[in-house]
Amino acid sequence: MQRAPFPRPVSPTISVLLFLLLPLGPAWRVVTQRCPQACLCDNSRGRVACQHHNLTEVPDAIPELTQRLDLQGNMLKAIPPAAFQDLPHLTHLDLRHCGLELVAEGAFRGLGRLLLLNLASNRLRALPQEALGGLGSLRRLELEGNLLEELRPGAFEALGALVTLNLAHNALVYLPAMVFQGLVRTRWLQLSHNALSVLAPEALAGLPALRRLSLHHNELQALPGAALSQARGLARLELGHNPLTYVGEEDELVLPTLRELRLDHGALQALGPRAFAHCPRLHTLDLRANQLDTLPPLQGPGRLGSLRLQGNPLWCGCQARPLLQWLVRARVRSDGTCQGPRRLRGEALDTLRPSDLRCPGDGVEEGEEEELAAARPRAPPSTPQDEEGAAWPCPRACLCAAATRHSSCERRGLQAVPRGFPNDTQLLDLRQNHFASLPPAAFPGLGRLVSLHLQHCSIRELEAGALAGLGSLIYLYLSDNQLSSLSTAALEGAPRLGYLYLERNLFARVPGAALHALPSLFSLHLQDNSVGRLAPGDLAGGRALRWLYLSGNRIVHVSPGALDPVLELEKLHLDRNQLREVPTRALEGLPALSELRLAGNPLKALRDGAFRPVGHSLQQLFLNSSDLEQISAGAFSGLGPRLHSLHLQRNQLKTLPALSGLGQLQLIDLGGNPFRCDCQLLPLHRWLTGLNLEAGATCATPPSARGQKVKAAAAAFGACPGWATRKAKRTLAHRWDARIPVKVGKERGRL
Ligand SMILES: *[C@@H]1O[C@H](CO)[C@@H](O)[C@H](O)[C@H]1NC(C)=O
Ligand SMILES: *[C@@H]1O[C@H](CO)[C@@H](O)[C@H](O)[C@H]1NC(C)=O
Ligand SMILES: *[C@@H]1O[C@H](CO)[C@@H](O)[C@H](O)[C@H]1NC(C)=O
């Protein structure tokens, strides 16, 4: 059955094109071959493309010899059994963005030659046991960006040729034992950006060829050394952005061929001297952005060449002497800087001599010890005991999966939170019920819970202590409820909470008082509420906050000082609010801010130095759709060293100064502005000509230049004074600027 919405305007065109390009014989055959409506068929190369056509099923009449089939951007929802059995020659199948919720057992049966299967960006929550059966030649499987919460052991059993498996950006909390069994050729396994807090000891068994494992951006609180050591051949292990607080020899990391280990952006407060004693080939160890004030000389990794320590509060007192001596002796390159004592603050550790590192008694000023004590981070909250326990039975209205430790009572019309979940539940899904209010201790016996889903539950109130006992909770989803405030004690009992989702509620202020109970809060989502302003004190409780999302509120003002407590903030989203100016003074005190979104505010103009307080750290700046008519020459001064994307599209800019300081830009969007291409715009024209980027700036006036690219409109600028005399210089500048993106690319490749 054909459901394609359009007639076939395209195939004849393509046929004519092919007719012109190919010798007569094959072209004739192309014209006579079948091709489904809504698709483009290049039969000579075995390619069929049917993307973005709202197809609800796989079209029939696809030529049998097709090798590459592109169905991305349709509305298939489900892949039924044997959906492609008439296409035995397929090697590449693209099913991205198809709204897939289900892949039936045997869906890909008959695709014994398939090499690449792309299922990314769909809505898959689970993979049935036999969903991937029959794909014996598959080399690469993309499942990134789905909603997978659980993987069943055996799910990948049939994929004996698979080299790369990408499961990044899903919702995995737990990896059961033997889950990857059968993947005997897999070299790279991507599990980043999930919610993994536990790996079963045998979770990585059966991966003899694994060389690279990406586990960054998960919720590991302890190094799962035993599990990792199953992947004996690992050369590269990425564990950054996990809340690890300590690594020592007792974590039993035994990886004889490991060369590169990333443990950056964690919460490490200490490291045992023999933590990597069984990784003899370790060459690069990345410990950036942790909480280490010192580090013992590391025993074992005798080939260590690079130790990255930037972003740790290193204390350069006498305690650091052994570290420094070891770095020199072992010829390890290191990039840490001293946080204290005051006289050495900001010094690079490896430029110091051991004699610079002194303690009280060695003749230094009084008070350094107190300084040190004050600088030390708080002790981590204690870890819950790791007991093995049998699961309780499951509440009647719910489903509890013992293997994955997920319990779900989604959309059951519940009026109160049920009791009696297994006490080892890690993910509890209570979406779309009707709770109105959550009473104290609403979740008893769930000390292992990591992720709690309460979206769309008509919740108006969290009573004090509602979360009592949730000592392992990291994720709390309260989006799409009717909360307008949270009392001081509303969030007590969940001290590890890192991610709090409060979008689309009724907040008129940031619930600052309640945040005091959350010393580890990393990310706060308050989009699409009714917050009207940010005042001093609103964020006093959010000291650990790195990402703050306030898009789509009614903010008219951000007071100076309002953001001072959130010293480590990296992302600030203030887009779609009512700001009439850049809150420059409030940005002071945000030394780590890298992404600032101000799009969709009625800004009108940018003043000189508007971003100077964050000039050194800012990497991405969004000022699109902000009614900007005017940008003063010094508006971006101070910005530059790091800025790599700048969004100025869809404003009212008729003119714009050259943006000379911004040599590291990789993306600049100037589209949708009514530029007036006269001599006033000459500096911008010159700057764009020297830039090896597509900026999308187009002339709106004068009529003779309308529609031309500012960069290319030489005729509009040819008569300007200074045009000819500086042409030679421009050629030079062009060559220089053109080199920059190449340099950037290399740098990124290395990291
Ligand atoms: C697909 O559906 C959307 C929304 O119904 C519509 O806007 C779009 O034009 C459709 N695309 C095609 C190719 O039919
Ligand atoms: C879970 O419950 C079982 C029995 O009901 C018990 O033996 C076990 O200790 C409990 N575990 C935890 C962590 O409370
Ligand atoms: C600004 O531009 C970004 C990137 O193109 C886009 O994602 C965002 O929606 C835009 N914001 C507004 C308010 O238009």
Side-chain angles (χ1 to χ4, degrees):
M1 187 177 55
Q2 287 293 343
R3 294 251 197 96
F6 292 138
R8 39 188 302 188
V10 210
S11 303
T13 327
I14 277 287
S15 307
V16 170
L17 200 68
L18 291 170
F19 193 85
L20 295 175
L21 292 176
L22 295 172
L24 192 59
W28 185 245
R29 249 198 338 268
V30 168
V31 175
T32 56
Q33 283 249 3
R34 60 185 188 164
C35 181
Q37 285 190 329
C39 302
L40 289 174
C41 302
D42 178 349
N43 293 342
S44 64
R45 292 158 75 204
R47 295 185 180 195
V48 174
C50 327
Q51 67 274 55
H52 304 296
H53 268 286
N54 297 347
L55 299 175
T56 54
E57 38 189 83
V58 178
D60 40 19
I62 295 175
E64 191 192 333
L65 296 179
T66 301
Q67 294 176 348
R68 293 178 185 236
L69 177 57
D70 184 349
L71 283 165
Q72 65 173 300
N74 284 295
M75 293 163 44
L76 300 178
K77 293 251 159 52
I79 304 287
F84 303 94
Q85 66 179 355
D86 297 333
L87 299 172
H89 299 278
L90 274 191
T91 56
H92 292 68
L93 178 54
D94 195 337
L95 291 164
R96 274 175 289 178
H97 294 287
C98 282
L100 290 179
E101 291 169 9
L102 177 72
V103 173
E105 289 195 12
F108 304 107
R109 205 179 301 140
L111 295 185
R113 299 189 192 177
L114 200 67
L115 302 174
L116 166 64
L117 175 56
N118 199 331
L119 289 164
S121 306
N122 281 293
R123 309 189 56 78
L124 297 171
R125 286 175 184 274
L127 284 175
Q129 192 79 24
E130 291 293 321
L132 302 171
L135 296 172
S137 303
L138 200 68
R139 318 249 315 175
R140 191 163 132 206
L141 175 58
E142 297 284 341
L143 282 162
E144 181 169 5
N146 277 280
L147 303 168
L148 295 171
E149 292 177 349
E150 52 172 40
L151 292 176
R152 296 185 201 148
F156 306 106
E157 224 160 30
L159 307 182
L162 201 71
V163 177
T164 305
L165 175 56
N166 186 352
L167 287 160
H169 288 278
N170 276 282
L172 302 170
V173 173
Y174 177 69
L175 287 184
M178 310 309 285
V179 59
F180 301 114
Q181 203 177 12
L183 296 176
V184 291
R185 302 244 173 90
T186 301
R187 294 176 68 85
W188 185 12
L189 177 55
Q190 280 161 282
L191 288 161
S192 54
H193 293 275
N194 277 282
L196 291 169
S197 64
V198 184
L199 312 187
E202 307 278 312
L204 300 173
L207 287 165
L210 201 66
R211 296 293 172 270
R212 178 171 176 191
L213 176 59
S214 306
L215 275 166
H216 50 93
H217 291 90
N218 275 288
E219 292 307 328
L220 297 168
Q221 293 163 24
L223 191 78
L228 296 170
S229 302
Q230 296 271 331
R232 270 290 157 134
L234 273 188
R236 181 163 174 190
L237 176 54
E238 291 151 328
L239 283 165
H241 294 270
N242 277 285
L244 296 166
T245 52
Y246 174 78
V247 179
E249 192 175 14
E250 53 274 42
D251 291 315
E252 298 178 60
L253 191 68
V254 182
L255 291 170
T257 56
L258 191 69
R259 286 183 48 79
E260 184 174 334
L261 175 57
R262 297 193 180 269
L263 285 163
D264 55 302
H265 294 87
L268 289 175
Q269 302 189 351
L271 211 57
R274 295 182 53 78
F276 312 111
H278 309 289
C279 304
R281 300 216 176 174
L282 193 61
H283 178 270
T284 302
L285 178 57
D286 187 349
L287 297 169
R288 282 172 305 156
N290 278 286
Q291 300 296 327
L292 296 164
D293 56 19
T294 188
L295 197 70
L298 296 177
Q299 299 167 22
R303 302 192 189 180
L304 199 65
S306 166
L307 177 63
R308 311 218 43 201
L309 288 170
Q310 202 56 265
N312 282 283
L314 295 181
W315 195 262
C316 297
C318 59
Q319 305 87 336
R321 264 185 223 155
L323 171 63
L324 186 58
Q325 283 158 347
W326 167 67
L327 290 175
V328 173
R329 195 174 60 237
R331 301 194 186 184
V332 178
R333 272 178 294 116
S334 167
D335 63 356
T337 44
C338 304
Q339 152 116 343
R342 210 166 285 132
R343 67 192 162 80
L344 294 178
R345 178 167 301 166
E347 299 285 334
L349 177 65
D350 65 357
T351 61
L352 301 177
R353 291 158 301 164
S355 58
D356 296 330
L357 306 177
R358 283 168 295 175
C359 281
D362 303 350
V364 295
E365 314 84 78
E366 297 273 312
E368 281 194 357
E369 282 302 311
E370 288 83 345
E371 241 187 273
L372 170 61
R376 266 184 205 282
R378 263 178 306 242
S382 59
T383 329
Q385 290 300 305
D386 198 39
E387 300 151 85
E388 277 308 317
W392 290 344
C394 189
R396 261 170 28 119
C398 309
L399 291 172
C400 306
T404 56
R405 309 190 191 184
H406 290 199
S407 298
S408 172
C409 334
E410 186 183 345
R411 206 192 282 250
R412 294 295 151 88
L414 299 172
Q415 310 267 336
V417 177
R419 306 255 156 152
F421 292 99
N423 63 3
D424 59 357
T425 299
Q426 293 189 332
L427 183 145
L428 177 54
D429 192 345
L430 289 162
R431 258 175 269 203
Q432 307 202 34
N433 287 290
H434 301 278
F435 296 139
S437 164
L438 292 178
F443 308 94
L446 289 171
R448 303 257 190 103
L449 197 65
V450 173
S451 181
L452 176 55
H453 293 258
L454 289 161
Q455 300 95 318
H456 291 283
C457 283
S458 321
I459 299 171
R460 290 170 197 282
E461 192 191 0
L462 250 65
E463 291 182 36
L467 307 178
L470 299 183
S472 303
L473 196 69
I474 308 264
Y475 294 91
L476 177 55
Y477 298 88
L478 283 163
S479 342
D480 298 289
N481 280 291
Q482 281 148 40
L483 293 163
S484 53
S485 63
L486 287 172
S487 70
T488 314
L491 301 174
E492 274 174 11
R496 289 179 169 233
L497 197 71
Y499 299 80
L500 178 56
Y501 295 84
L502 294 168
E503 306 97 303
R504 294 177 296 281
N505 276 277
L506 304 171
F507 288 96
R509 289 194 70 165
V510 175
L515 303 184
H516 280 283
L518 306 177
S520 316
L521 190 65
F522 185 93
S523 175
L524 176 58
H525 294 253
L526 274 165
Q527 299 95 310
D528 302 301
N529 278 277
S530 309
V531 177
R533 54 190 325 224
L534 282 182
D538 281 353
L539 290 162
R543 292 186 182 278
L545 213 57
R546 305 266 178 93
W547 304 342
L548 177 56
Y549 301 93
L550 284 161
S551 318
N553 278 278
R554 301 182 188 161
I555 299 174
V556 290
H557 186 61
V558 182
S559 305
L563 299 169
D564 283 3
V566 290
L567 252 186
E568 298 182 51
L569 203 66
E570 292 169 2
K571 282 188 201 178
L572 177 57
H573 289 196
L574 286 166
D575 46 319
R576 296 186 288 113
N577 276 288
Q578 298 299 326
L579 293 168
R580 298 190 167 273
E581 56 179 14
V582 177
T584 306
R585 288 199 45 213
L587 299 178
E588 286 167 14
L590 296 180
L593 197 70
S594 66
E595 183 180 319
L596 177 59
R597 296 195 180 223
L598 288 166
N601 281 285
L603 295 177
K604 295 258 181 346
L606 295 181
R607 279 171 294 117
D608 281 347
F611 306 99
R612 191 171 285 131
V614 289
H616 283 289
S617 56
L618 209 60
Q619 299 177 15
Q620 303 187 55
L621 179 55
F622 292 79
L623 292 163
N624 41 313
S625 304
S626 299
D627 300 342
L628 287 174
E629 291 167 1
Q630 208 191 336
I631 294 186
S632 78
F636 298 118
S637 70
L639 277 176
R642 300 251 174 112
L643 197 70
H644 65 66
S645 31
L646 177 58
H647 293 263
L648 284 165
Q649 70 272 24
R650 296 172 190 254
N651 280 296
Q652 299 303 322
L653 296 168
K654 294 202 169 81
T655 186
L656 187 67
L659 305 171
S660 335
L662 309 179
Q664 300 291 324
L665 280 181
Q666 296 165 23
L667 186 158
I668 176 165
D669 195 342
L670 295 172
N673 282 292
F675 285 110
R676 190 173 56 224
C677 290
D678 60 13
C679 295
Q680 213 189 334
L681 206 63
L682 180 59
L684 184 72
H685 165 76
R686 284 213 176 102
W687 182 73
L688 288 173
T689 314
L691 196 69
N692 199 11
L693 293 175
E694 185 48 62
T698 309
C699 307
T701 52
S704 58
R706 169 170 305 163
Q708 293 183 34
K709 297 264 185 245
V710 174
K711 189 172 178 170
F717 302 104
C720 296
W723 165 261
T725 50
R726 291 183 57 181
K727 239 183 158 177
K729 271 191 196 166
R730 194 194 73 205
T731 319
L732 256 180
H734 181 268
R735 270 198 231 124
W736 170 250
D737 281 354
R739 277 168 34 195
I740 286 169
V742 178
K743 217 168 91 193
V744 169
K746 257 192 209 156
E747 181 117 336
R748 287 167 79 218
R750 194 159 47 78
L751 287 177

